Amino acid sequence: IAAALTSALGQVLLASHHEMVNLRIVLTNFALSIVFGSLLVSQFGIIGAAWAAVLVSTANLIQHYVPVSRLLAGHKLASLVWQPLVATGVMAAFIMMVHSQNFFFVVFSAAVVYAVTLAAIVVVSAGGLHAVRERYRHLVST
């Protein structure tokens, strides 16, 4: 989840000509990887490496979120992110329930669960199916 969000936020920084911010983030992540990797891998082995990756990924997300939220001060990024996060959580719970099934079944059905969950959240958040149709009518009218 953090990698997907970071990727999108990184594109916003690049599109708004903030390459120096991206460079600072990359250098900071490099330093954090060395520090966390050295400390945690030497103490905990492969589990330490996993924790180091999670910590650097979280720091990366925060470093992207802060400047993008300043750039898009009129928009509430949290209100844009919660819907896919909830859908991802539902999908993850589904995967945990059916993980012992056929791999392709799990992948396909998890994608369907994600899409249906996200669609339901969008419809409910918009005020119902009629409100969604009205909001996006211009996309299908010719």
Side-chain angles (χ1 to χ4, degrees):
I1 294 170
L5 293 173
T6 300
S7 176
L9 295 173
Q11 293 301 316
V12 171
L13 287 174
L14 289 175
S16 61
H17 305 290
H18 286 81
E19 292 86 0
M20 291 304 291
V21 174
N22 268 341
L23 178 60
R24 180 189 46 81
I25 291 171
V26 168
L27 293 174
T28 302
N29 289 341
F30 175 70
L32 290 174
S33 294
I34 290 173
V35 171
F36 288 143
S38 298
L39 293 173
L40 295 173
V41 171
S42 66
Q43 289 289 355
F44 304 106
I46 192 79
I47 301 297
W51 275 108
V54 168
L55 291 171
V56 171
S57 181
T58 302
N60 190 24
L61 178 60
I62 292 167
Q63 290 177 87
H64 278 84
Y65 180 84
V66 171
V68 170
S69 65
R70 289 181 185 141
L71 280 172
L72 304 174
H75 300 24
K76 295 181 181 173
L77 291 179
S79 66
L80 301 173
V81 173
W82 77 268
Q83 294 171 336
L85 283 177
V86 170
T88 301
V90 170
M91 180 184 67
F94 174 80
I95 290 171
M96 287 192 291
M97 290 188 311
V98 298
H99 72 279
S100 62
Q101 302 294 320
N102 177 287
F103 174 77
F104 295 106
F105 167 77
V106 172
V107 170
F108 177 75
S109 57
V112 170
V113 166
Y114 177 85
V116 168
T117 304
L118 186 59
I121 292 169
V122 167
V123 168
V124 169
S125 296
L129 199 51
H130 179 70
V132 171
R133 278 192 211 122
E134 287 299 315
R135 184 174 188 180
Y136 297 107
R137 178 184 307 265
H138 68 281
L139 296 176
V140 293
S141 64
T142 54

